[in-house]
Amino acid sequence: MADAGTQILVLIVAMFGVPKLMSVMPDIDPLVMIVGLFLVLALLQQLGFQTRGASGEESQHTQRPKYRAAPEEHHEESSSVASTDQMLTDATRAMEQNNYQRAQELARRVADMDPESARAWELLAAAQKWQGLREEAAATVRKAMEIYEVESDGLRALARELERSESPQTIAMECEKKGEGFFSRRQYDLAVDCYTKALEVFGNGKPNSANGDKELLLRLRSRRAECAQQLQDWSTCRHDATVLLEADPLDQRALMQRAAANEALEKFKDALADARKLMTLNPKSIAANRIAHNCQQALRS
């Protein structure tokens, strides 16, 4: 609108002002005078445009921080929520992988950031329980429920469980149950951790007739030997198979496991002895015949 008004003003000046100038300066060509007037107009318009552009940019710069302030605050809040959610997800995954130390670290960080997060307290107490820190786990549950007044079904269940003084057999069977879940999914490395923790409850003792937990201990040793064989942890496989054979010298599976472990460890004489004993019990054992053949060749060479 301002540009149109300026152009109209120039036309009026050209119509009325140019004749008066010609009367004062008759020697000047009217066409030259009009062209010069339009050039002056163009120069003034250009200067006015630049001035408005500079003032517009300045006003935009001054207003921009006020416009962006709110989204930045919202972004910080949403990123904080996202980070705690991610840590809880990672802590849950660590629990599933028997990485209880990592689960404790993550859950504790979330609990410090958000003391009202029931899931963080549940994960922290559960990780402490599975590490054998039952007293610390009970203290964590009490802290969450009494100090921060956090309530959840998971915390109440943990409180009831931790109040009971469970026997070593109950704890071992709980670990065994978890290990069986991993074993059925062929997650042998995680299953080994569970069976090892169950055995540690009994001090890694050997089963004997006087031990009321003999059947459970034998079962745990057998499962751990199977996992160790799958993982090619031949030292553990050989050790557990030996314990099983001390309890039952005719255990064919344990004989096969120890023969395979001895062969892998290059204990060829011991492997040959186990393979031959296994062949007397089961002459059709293809694996025993193969181990015996390999060991005989290794001993000749």
Side-chain angles (χ1 to χ4, degrees):
M1 292 294 292
D3 292 342
T6 304
Q7 291 176 359
I8 293 171
L9 178 61
V10 171
L11 289 174
I12 294 172
V13 172
M15 292 172 61
F16 297 100
V18 171
K20 290 184 179 182
L21 287 173
M22 288 179 62
S23 63
V24 177
M25 296 178 289
D27 296 334
I28 298 176
D29 189 352
L31 181 59
V32 172
M33 186 175 294
I34 293 174
V35 171
L37 187 60
F38 274 104
L39 289 175
V40 172
L41 170 64
L43 179 60
L44 291 175
Q45 286 181 332
Q46 182 66 24
L47 291 174
F49 176 78
Q50 291 179 352
T51 304
R52 288 195 301 272
S55 62
E57 289 180 0
E58 184 177 357
S59 63
Q60 287 179 358
H61 283 300
T62 56
Q63 294 175 0
R64 198 167 294 165
K66 295 181 180 179
Y67 177 76
R68 291 183 179 177
E72 286 177 359
E73 294 175 359
H74 177 72
H75 175 70
E76 290 178 0
E77 182 179 354
S78 61
S79 63
S80 175
V81 174
S83 63
T84 55
D85 289 345
Q86 184 60 49
M87 282 191 286
L88 289 174
T89 301
D90 293 342
T92 303
R93 187 179 299 110
M95 287 288 292
E96 293 172 351
Q97 297 173 350
N98 293 352
N99 191 350
Y100 303 122
Q101 186 61 40
R102 176 63 174 165
Q104 277 193 69
E105 294 172 359
L106 292 168
R108 195 184 301 278
R109 286 173 59 188
V110 176
D112 291 340
M113 295 171 63
D114 181 12
E116 296 182 357
S117 173
R119 183 57 180 160
W121 292 109
E122 291 170 5
L123 287 169
L124 178 57
Q128 291 170 336
K129 183 197 77 170
W130 281 106
Q131 278 197 308
L133 307 173
R134 294 181 64 85
E135 292 183 1
E136 289 188 24
T140 296
V141 173
R142 286 195 299 271
K143 181 179 180 180
M145 299 181 71
E146 296 174 5
I147 297 179
Y148 294 105
E149 299 182 352
V150 179
E151 294 287 340
S152 72
D153 292 339
L155 285 173
R156 285 189 287 270
L158 281 168
R160 290 192 297 269
E161 179 183 349
L162 294 169
E163 285 174 359
R164 298 192 302 267
S165 56
E166 296 183 343
S167 65
Q169 185 181 33
T170 302
I171 297 173
M173 290 179 67
E174 187 177 359
C175 294
E176 181 192 23
K177 182 180 179 181
K178 189 172 184 180
E180 289 297 301
F182 289 126
F183 187 89
S184 65
R185 296 192 295 272
R186 300 184 180 182
Q187 294 176 292
Y188 301 113
D189 54 336
L190 301 179
V192 162
D193 292 340
C194 295
Y195 298 133
T196 299
K197 185 171 287 294
L199 288 166
E200 287 173 351
V201 173
F202 297 103
N204 285 314
K206 295 182 179 181
N208 53 67
S209 56
N211 192 336
D213 301 313
K214 177 181 178 180
E215 182 179 350
L216 174 59
L217 286 168
L218 287 174
R219 194 166 64 241
L220 291 169
R221 291 282 181 184
S222 178
R223 276 302 204 202
R224 192 170 74 167
E226 288 184 62
C227 293
Q229 185 177 12
Q230 292 292 336
L231 297 170
Q232 298 185 1
D233 180 2
W234 299 115
S235 295
T236 300
C237 181
R238 181 176 184 273
H239 173 73
D240 287 344
T242 298
V243 173
L244 292 168
L245 288 169
E246 289 174 357
D248 181 7
L250 302 181
D251 187 336
Q252 294 187 33
R253 176 178 293 179
L255 271 172
M256 184 68 249
Q257 290 169 339
R258 193 170 71 175
N262 281 328
E263 181 188 14
L265 295 170
E266 297 184 358
K267 298 178 181 293
F268 298 117
K269 288 184 179 180
D270 293 337
L272 181 59
D274 286 335
R276 284 175 172 170
K277 185 173 183 179
L278 183 57
M279 286 189 292
T280 61
L281 297 172
N282 183 10
K284 295 182 180 181
S285 174
I286 299 175
N289 278 278
R290 180 188 57 77
I291 292 174
H293 176 72
N294 292 342
C295 291
Q296 287 172 346
Q297 284 189 329
L299 291 170
R300 290 195 194 100
S301 60

Short mmCIF file of all heavy atoms in Angstrom, two decimals, residues 127-180:
data_model
loop_
_atom_site.label_atom_id
_atom_site.label_comp_id
_atom_site.label_asym_id
_atom_site.label_seq_id
_atom_site.Cartn_x
_atom_site.Cartn_y
_atom_site.Cartn_z
N ALA A 127 16.59 -57.93 42.18
CA ALA A 127 18.00 -58.18 41.83
C ALA A 127 18.81 -58.50 43.08
O ALA A 127 19.66 -59.41 43.08
CB ALA A 127 18.58 -56.97 41.11
N GLN A 128 18.55 -57.78 44.17
CA GLN A 128 19.25 -58.06 45.42
C GLN A 128 18.90 -59.44 45.95
O GLN A 128 19.77 -60.17 46.44
CB GLN A 128 18.89 -56.98 46.46
CG GLN A 128 19.47 -55.61 46.12
CD GLN A 128 18.91 -54.52 47.00
OE1 GLN A 128 17.81 -54.63 47.54
NE2 GLN A 128 19.65 -53.42 47.13
N LYS A 129 17.64 -59.82 45.81
CA LYS A 129 17.21 -61.15 46.28
C LYS A 129 17.92 -62.26 45.51
O LYS A 129 18.44 -63.21 46.10
CB LYS A 129 15.70 -61.29 46.12
CG LYS A 129 15.14 -62.61 46.64
CD LYS A 129 13.76 -62.89 46.12
CE LYS A 129 13.82 -63.38 44.68
NZ LYS A 129 12.53 -63.91 44.19
N TRP A 130 17.98 -62.11 44.17
CA TRP A 130 18.60 -63.15 43.36
C TRP A 130 20.11 -63.20 43.55
O TRP A 130 20.75 -64.22 43.27
CB TRP A 130 18.27 -62.93 41.88
CG TRP A 130 16.90 -63.40 41.52
CD1 TRP A 130 15.81 -62.64 41.27
CD2 TRP A 130 16.48 -64.76 41.40
NE1 TRP A 130 14.72 -63.43 40.98
CE2 TRP A 130 15.11 -64.75 41.05
CE3 TRP A 130 17.12 -65.99 41.54
CZ2 TRP A 130 14.37 -65.91 40.86
CZ3 TRP A 130 16.38 -67.16 41.34
CH2 TRP A 130 15.03 -67.11 41.01
N GLN A 131 20.70 -62.13 44.04
CA GLN A 131 22.13 -62.15 44.37
C GLN A 131 22.39 -62.74 45.75
O GLN A 131 23.53 -62.81 46.18
CB GLN A 131 22.71 -60.75 44.29
CG GLN A 131 23.08 -60.31 42.87
CD GLN A 131 24.01 -59.13 42.85
OE1 GLN A 131 23.73 -58.11 43.48
NE2 GLN A 131 25.09 -59.23 42.13
N GLY A 132 21.33 -63.13 46.42
CA GLY A 132 21.48 -63.70 47.75
C GLY A 132 21.48 -62.67 48.86
O GLY A 132 21.73 -63.00 50.02
N LEU A 133 21.20 -61.41 48.54
CA LEU A 133 21.20 -60.33 49.52
C LEU A 133 19.77 -60.11 50.02
O LEU A 133 19.16 -59.06 49.81
CB LEU A 133 21.76 -59.05 48.89
CG LEU A 133 23.13 -59.18 48.21
CD1 LEU A 133 23.50 -57.89 47.49
CD2 LEU A 133 24.20 -59.55 49.23
N ARG A 134 19.25 -61.09 50.72
CA ARG A 134 17.85 -61.05 51.13
C ARG A 134 17.58 -59.94 52.14
O ARG A 134 16.54 -59.30 52.09
CB ARG A 134 17.44 -62.41 51.70
CG ARG A 134 17.45 -63.53 50.67
CD ARG A 134 17.01 -64.85 51.30
NE ARG A 134 15.64 -64.81 51.77
CZ ARG A 134 14.58 -65.05 51.02
NH1 ARG A 134 14.72 -65.35 49.74
NH2 ARG A 134 13.37 -65.01 51.54
N GLU A 135 18.51 -59.70 53.04
CA GLU A 135 18.30 -58.65 54.04
C GLU A 135 18.28 -57.27 53.37
O GLU A 135 17.46 -56.41 53.71
CB GLU A 135 19.39 -58.70 55.10
CG GLU A 135 19.31 -59.94 55.99
CD GLU A 135 20.36 -59.93 57.07
OE1 GLU A 135 21.13 -58.94 57.15
OE2 GLU A 135 20.43 -60.90 57.85
N GLU A 136 19.18 -57.05 52.41
CA GLU A 136 19.20 -55.78 51.68
C GLU A 136 17.93 -55.62 50.86
O GLU A 136 17.37 -54.52 50.76
CB GLU A 136 20.42 -55.70 50.77
CG GLU A 136 21.74 -55.52 51.51
CD GLU A 136 22.88 -55.27 50.55
OE1 GLU A 136 22.63 -54.80 49.42
OE2 GLU A 136 24.04 -55.55 50.94
N ALA A 137 17.46 -56.72 50.28
CA ALA A 137 16.24 -56.66 49.48
C ALA A 137 15.04 -56.30 50.36
O ALA A 137 14.19 -55.48 49.98
CB ALA A 137 16.00 -58.00 48.79
N ALA A 138 14.98 -56.89 51.56
CA ALA A 138 13.88 -56.57 52.48
C ALA A 138 13.95 -55.10 52.91
O ALA A 138 12.91 -54.43 53.01
CB ALA A 138 13.95 -57.48 53.70
N ALA A 139 15.17 -54.59 53.14
CA ALA A 139 15.32 -53.18 53.52
C ALA A 139 14.89 -52.26 52.37
O ALA A 139 14.30 -51.20 52.61
CB ALA A 139 16.77 -52.91 53.90
N THR A 140 15.18 -52.67 51.15
CA THR A 140 14.77 -51.87 49.98
C THR A 140 13.25 -51.79 49.88
O THR A 140 12.69 -50.72 49.63
CB THR A 140 15.34 -52.49 48.69
OG1 THR A 140 16.78 -52.42 48.73
CG2 THR A 140 14.86 -51.75 47.46
N VAL A 141 12.58 -52.91 50.10
CA VAL A 141 11.11 -52.93 50.03
C VAL A 141 10.52 -52.05 51.13
O VAL A 141 9.58 -51.27 50.90
CB VAL A 141 10.59 -54.37 50.15
CG1 VAL A 141 9.07 -54.38 50.26
CG2 VAL A 141 11.03 -55.19 48.93
N ARG A 142 11.08 -52.15 52.34
CA ARG A 142 10.58 -51.32 53.45
C ARG A 142 10.79 -49.84 53.16
O ARG A 142 9.92 -49.00 53.45
CB ARG A 142 11.28 -51.71 54.75
CG ARG A 142 10.83 -53.04 55.33
CD ARG A 142 11.27 -53.18 56.77
NE ARG A 142 12.73 -53.15 56.89
CZ ARG A 142 13.52 -54.21 56.81
NH1 ARG A 142 12.98 -55.42 56.62
NH2 ARG A 142 14.82 -54.10 56.93
N LYS A 143 11.93 -49.50 52.59
CA LYS A 143 12.22 -48.10 52.27
C LYS A 143 11.22 -47.55 51.26
O LYS A 143 10.72 -46.43 51.41
CB LYS A 143 13.64 -47.98 51.71
CG LYS A 143 14.08 -46.57 51.37
CD LYS A 143 15.51 -46.56 50.85
CE LYS A 143 15.95 -45.14 50.50
NZ LYS A 143 17.35 -45.13 49.99
N ALA A 144 10.93 -48.35 50.24
CA ALA A 144 9.99 -47.91 49.21
C ALA A 144 8.58 -47.72 49.78
O ALA A 144 7.90 -46.73 49.51
CB ALA A 144 9.95 -48.90 48.06
N MET A 145 8.14 -48.66 50.62
CA MET A 145 6.75 -48.66 51.09
C MET A 145 6.54 -47.72 52.28
O MET A 145 5.48 -47.10 52.41
CB MET A 145 6.32 -50.08 51.45
CG MET A 145 6.38 -51.05 50.28
SD MET A 145 5.86 -52.73 50.69
CE MET A 145 4.09 -52.49 50.90
N GLU A 146 7.55 -47.60 53.15
CA GLU A 146 7.37 -46.83 54.37
C GLU A 146 7.82 -45.38 54.23
O GLU A 146 7.14 -44.46 54.69
CB GLU A 146 8.11 -47.49 55.53
CG GLU A 146 7.57 -48.87 55.88
CD GLU A 146 8.40 -49.58 56.94
OE1 GLU A 146 9.34 -48.94 57.47
OE2 GLU A 146 8.13 -50.76 57.23
N ILE A 147 8.97 -45.17 53.57
CA ILE A 147 9.50 -43.81 53.46
C ILE A 147 8.86 -43.06 52.30
O ILE A 147 8.38 -41.93 52.45
CB ILE A 147 11.03 -43.84 53.31
CG1 ILE A 147 11.67 -44.45 54.56
CG2 ILE A 147 11.58 -42.43 53.06
CD1 ILE A 147 13.17 -44.56 54.51
N TYR A 148 8.82 -43.72 51.11
CA TYR A 148 8.28 -43.05 49.93
C TYR A 148 6.82 -43.39 49.66
O TYR A 148 6.24 -42.88 48.70
CB TYR A 148 9.14 -43.41 48.71
CG TYR A 148 10.54 -42.87 48.79
CD1 TYR A 148 11.60 -43.70 49.09
CD2 TYR A 148 10.79 -41.51 48.61
CE1 TYR A 148 12.90 -43.20 49.18
CE2 TYR A 148 12.08 -41.00 48.71
CZ TYR A 148 13.14 -41.86 49.00
OH TYR A 148 14.42 -41.36 49.10
N GLU A 149 6.25 -44.27 50.50
CA GLU A 149 4.83 -44.63 50.41
C GLU A 149 4.45 -45.14 49.02
O GLU A 149 3.41 -44.80 48.46
CB GLU A 149 3.95 -43.43 50.79
CG GLU A 149 4.17 -42.96 52.23
CD GLU A 149 3.27 -41.81 52.61
OE1 GLU A 149 2.59 -41.27 51.71
OE2 GLU A 149 3.24 -41.45 53.81
N VAL A 150 5.33 -45.95 48.46
CA VAL A 150 5.08 -46.56 47.14
C VAL A 150 4.37 -47.89 47.37
O VAL A 150 4.82 -48.71 48.17
CB VAL A 150 6.39 -46.78 46.36
CG1 VAL A 150 6.11 -47.42 45.01
CG2 VAL A 150 7.12 -45.45 46.17
N GLU A 151 3.29 -48.09 46.67
CA GLU A 151 2.51 -49.33 46.81
C GLU A 151 2.36 -50.00 45.45
O GLU A 151 2.09 -49.33 44.45
CB GLU A 151 1.12 -49.02 47.39
CG GLU A 151 1.13 -48.50 48.83
CD GLU A 151 1.46 -49.59 49.83
OE1 GLU A 151 1.31 -50.79 49.49
OE2 GLU A 151 1.87 -49.26 50.95
N SER A 152 2.54 -51.32 45.43
CA SER A 152 2.30 -52.09 44.21
C SER A 152 2.17 -53.56 44.60
O SER A 152 2.63 -53.99 45.67
CB SER A 152 3.45 -51.92 43.19
OG SER A 152 4.61 -52.59 43.62
N ASP A 153 1.54 -54.34 43.74
CA ASP A 153 1.39 -55.77 43.99
C ASP A 153 2.76 -56.45 44.06
O ASP A 153 2.97 -57.35 44.88
CB ASP A 153 0.54 -56.41 42.89
CG ASP A 153 -0.91 -55.93 42.93
OD1 ASP A 153 -1.34 -55.45 44.00
OD2 ASP A 153 -1.59 -56.02 41.89
N GLY A 154 3.68 -56.01 43.19
CA GLY A 154 5.01 -56.61 43.18
C GLY A 154 5.77 -56.38 44.47
O GLY A 154 6.41 -57.30 45.01
N LEU A 155 5.69 -55.17 45.01
CA LEU A 155 6.38 -54.88 46.27
C LEU A 155 5.75 -55.64 47.43
O LEU A 155 6.47 -56.15 48.30
CB LEU A 155 6.33 -53.38 46.54
CG LEU A 155 7.28 -52.50 45.71
CD1 LEU A 155 7.00 -51.03 45.96
CD2 LEU A 155 8.74 -52.83 46.00
N ARG A 156 4.43 -55.75 47.45
CA ARG A 156 3.78 -56.50 48.52
C ARG A 156 4.15 -57.98 48.46
O ARG A 156 4.38 -58.62 49.49
CB ARG A 156 2.26 -56.31 48.44
CG ARG A 156 1.79 -54.94 48.94
CD ARG A 156 0.27 -54.88 49.05
NE ARG A 156 -0.33 -54.81 47.72
CZ ARG A 156 -0.59 -53.67 47.09
NH1 ARG A 156 -0.29 -52.52 47.66
NH2 ARG A 156 -1.15 -53.67 45.89
N ALA A 157 4.23 -58.52 47.24
CA ALA A 157 4.61 -59.93 47.10
C ALA A 157 6.05 -60.15 47.56
O ALA A 157 6.35 -61.15 48.23
CB ALA A 157 4.43 -60.36 45.65
N LEU A 158 6.93 -59.22 47.19
CA LEU A 158 8.32 -59.33 47.63
C LEU A 158 8.43 -59.22 49.15
O LEU A 158 9.22 -59.94 49.78
CB LEU A 158 9.17 -58.24 46.96
CG LEU A 158 9.59 -58.50 45.52
CD1 LEU A 158 10.15 -57.22 44.89
CD2 LEU A 158 10.64 -59.61 45.46
N ALA A 159 7.65 -58.33 49.73
CA ALA A 159 7.67 -58.17 51.19
C ALA A 159 7.27 -59.47 51.88
O ALA A 159 7.92 -59.90 52.85
CB ALA A 159 6.75 -57.03 51.61
N ARG A 160 6.20 -60.11 51.40
CA ARG A 160 5.76 -61.37 52.00
C ARG A 160 6.82 -62.46 51.83
O ARG A 160 7.09 -63.23 52.75
CB ARG A 160 4.44 -61.82 51.37
CG ARG A 160 3.24 -60.95 51.75
CD ARG A 160 1.95 -61.62 51.34
NE ARG A 160 1.88 -61.79 49.88
CZ ARG A 160 1.35 -60.89 49.06
NH1 ARG A 160 0.86 -59.75 49.53
NH2 ARG A 160 1.30 -61.12 47.76
N GLU A 161 7.41 -62.51 50.64
CA GLU A 161 8.40 -63.55 50.37
C GLU A 161 9.66 -63.36 51.21
O GLU A 161 10.21 -64.33 51.74
CB GLU A 161 8.78 -63.51 48.88
CG GLU A 161 9.83 -64.52 48.48
CD GLU A 161 10.23 -64.41 47.02
OE1 GLU A 161 9.53 -63.69 46.27
OE2 GLU A 161 11.23 -65.04 46.63
N LEU A 162 10.10 -62.11 51.35
CA LEU A 162 11.34 -61.85 52.08
C LEU A 162 11.16 -61.95 53.59
O LEU A 162 12.16 -62.11 54.32
CB LEU A 162 11.87 -60.46 51.71
CG LEU A 162 12.33 -60.32 50.25
CD1 LEU A 162 12.58 -58.86 49.90
CD2 LEU A 162 13.58 -61.15 49.99
N GLU A 163 9.93 -61.85 54.06
CA GLU A 163 9.68 -62.01 55.49
C GLU A 163 9.84 -63.46 55.92
O GLU A 163 10.17 -63.73 57.08
CB GLU A 163 8.27 -61.50 55.84
CG GLU A 163 8.15 -59.99 55.85
CD GLU A 163 6.72 -59.53 56.05
OE1 GLU A 163 5.84 -60.42 56.15
OE2 GLU A 163 6.47 -58.31 56.09
N ARG A 164 9.60 -64.38 55.00
CA ARG A 164 9.73 -65.80 55.32
C ARG A 164 11.21 -66.20 55.30
O ARG A 164 11.97 -65.78 54.43
CB ARG A 164 8.96 -66.67 54.32
CG ARG A 164 7.46 -66.41 54.31
CD ARG A 164 6.76 -67.50 53.52
NE ARG A 164 7.24 -67.58 52.16
CZ ARG A 164 6.70 -66.95 51.12
NH1 ARG A 164 5.64 -66.18 51.31
NH2 ARG A 164 7.18 -67.09 49.91
N SER A 165 11.59 -67.02 56.23
CA SER A 165 12.96 -67.57 56.25
C SER A 165 12.94 -68.88 55.46
O SER A 165 12.57 -69.93 55.97
CB SER A 165 13.43 -67.81 57.68
OG SER A 165 12.52 -68.67 58.37
N GLU A 166 13.32 -68.78 54.20
CA GLU A 166 13.24 -69.95 53.32
C GLU A 166 14.45 -70.87 53.54
O GLU A 166 15.57 -70.40 53.79
CB GLU A 166 13.17 -69.51 51.87
CG GLU A 166 11.91 -68.72 51.54
CD GLU A 166 11.83 -68.35 50.08
OE1 GLU A 166 12.88 -68.42 49.40
OE2 GLU A 166 10.74 -67.99 49.62
N SER A 167 14.20 -72.16 53.37
CA SER A 167 15.27 -73.14 53.52
C SER A 167 16.16 -73.13 52.29
O SER A 167 15.75 -72.69 51.21
CB SER A 167 14.66 -74.54 53.69
OG SER A 167 13.97 -74.91 52.50
N PRO A 168 17.40 -73.61 52.43
CA PRO A 168 18.30 -73.69 51.27
C PRO A 168 17.70 -74.50 50.12
O PRO A 168 17.89 -74.17 48.95
CB PRO A 168 19.55 -74.38 51.83
CG PRO A 168 19.53 -74.03 53.28
CD PRO A 168 18.08 -74.01 53.66
N GLN A 169 16.95 -75.55 50.45
CA GLN A 169 16.34 -76.37 49.40
C GLN A 169 15.32 -75.56 48.60
O GLN A 169 15.26 -75.66 47.37
CB GLN A 169 15.68 -77.60 50.01
CG GLN A 169 15.13 -78.55 48.95
CD GLN A 169 14.44 -79.76 49.56
OE1 GLN A 169 13.84 -79.65 50.62
NE2 GLN A 169 14.52 -80.89 48.89
N THR A 170 14.52 -74.74 49.30
CA THR A 170 13.51 -73.92 48.61
C THR A 170 14.18 -72.92 47.67
O THR A 170 13.75 -72.72 46.53
CB THR A 170 12.65 -73.18 49.63
OG1 THR A 170 12.02 -74.13 50.50
CG2 THR A 170 11.58 -72.35 48.94
N ILE A 171 15.25 -72.28 48.15
CA ILE A 171 15.97 -71.31 47.32
C ILE A 171 16.60 -72.00 46.12
O ILE A 171 16.54 -71.50 44.99
CB ILE A 171 17.05 -70.58 48.15
CG1 ILE A 171 16.39 -69.79 49.29
CG2 ILE A 171 17.88 -69.66 47.28
CD1 ILE A 171 17.37 -69.18 50.27
N ALA A 172 17.19 -73.18 46.36
CA ALA A 172 17.83 -73.92 45.27
C ALA A 172 16.81 -74.35 44.22
O ALA A 172 17.06 -74.27 43.01
CB ALA A 172 18.56 -75.14 45.83
N MET A 173 15.64 -74.79 44.66
CA MET A 173 14.60 -75.22 43.72
C MET A 173 14.06 -74.03 42.92
O MET A 173 13.70 -74.16 41.75
CB MET A 173 13.47 -75.92 44.47
CG MET A 173 13.87 -77.27 45.04
SD MET A 173 12.54 -78.09 45.96
CE MET A 173 11.39 -78.43 44.65
N GLU A 174 14.03 -72.86 43.54
CA GLU A 174 13.60 -71.66 42.82
C GLU A 174 14.61 -71.33 41.71
O GLU A 174 14.22 -70.98 40.59
CB GLU A 174 13.48 -70.49 43.79
CG GLU A 174 12.87 -69.24 43.18
CD GLU A 174 12.69 -68.12 44.18
OE1 GLU A 174 13.01 -68.33 45.37
OE2 GLU A 174 12.24 -67.03 43.77
N CYS A 175 15.90 -71.44 42.04
CA CYS A 175 16.94 -71.22 41.02
C CYS A 175 16.87 -72.28 39.92
O CYS A 175 17.05 -71.98 38.74
CB CYS A 175 18.33 -71.23 41.68
SG CYS A 175 18.63 -69.87 42.81
N GLU A 176 16.61 -73.53 40.34
CA GLU A 176 16.50 -74.60 39.35
C GLU A 176 15.35 -74.35 38.39
O GLU A 176 15.47 -74.55 37.18
CB GLU A 176 16.30 -75.94 40.06
CG GLU A 176 16.19 -77.11 39.09
CD GLU A 176 15.71 -78.39 39.77
OE1 GLU A 176 15.06 -78.28 40.83
OE2 GLU A 176 15.96 -79.47 39.23
N LYS A 177 14.24 -73.89 38.92
CA LYS A 177 13.08 -73.61 38.08
C LYS A 177 13.39 -72.54 37.04
O LYS A 177 13.03 -72.66 35.87
CB LYS A 177 11.90 -73.18 38.95
CG LYS A 177 10.63 -72.90 38.17
CD LYS A 177 9.49 -72.48 39.10
CE LYS A 177 8.23 -72.18 38.32
NZ LYS A 177 7.11 -71.74 39.22
N LYS A 178 14.09 -71.52 37.47
CA LYS A 178 14.48 -70.47 36.53
C LYS A 178 15.45 -71.02 35.49
O LYS A 178 15.37 -70.70 34.30
CB LYS A 178 15.11 -69.30 37.29
CG LYS A 178 15.34 -68.07 36.42
CD LYS A 178 15.79 -66.89 37.26
CE LYS A 178 15.92 -65.65 36.39
NZ LYS A 178 16.36 -64.47 37.18
N GLY A 179 16.37 -71.86 35.93
CA GLY A 179 17.32 -72.47 35.00
C GLY A 179 16.65 -73.36 33.98
O GLY A 179 17.05 -73.39 32.80
N GLU A 180 15.61 -74.08 34.39
CA GLU A 180 14.89 -74.95 33.47
C GLU A 180 14.23 -74.13 32.35
O GLU A 180 14.15 -74.58 31.21
CB GLU A 180 13.82 -75.75 34.21
CG GLU A 180 14.39 -76.84 35.11
CD GLU A 180 15.13 -77.91 34.31
OE1 GLU A 180 14.51 -78.53 33.43
OE2 GLU A 180 16.33 -78.09 34.57
#
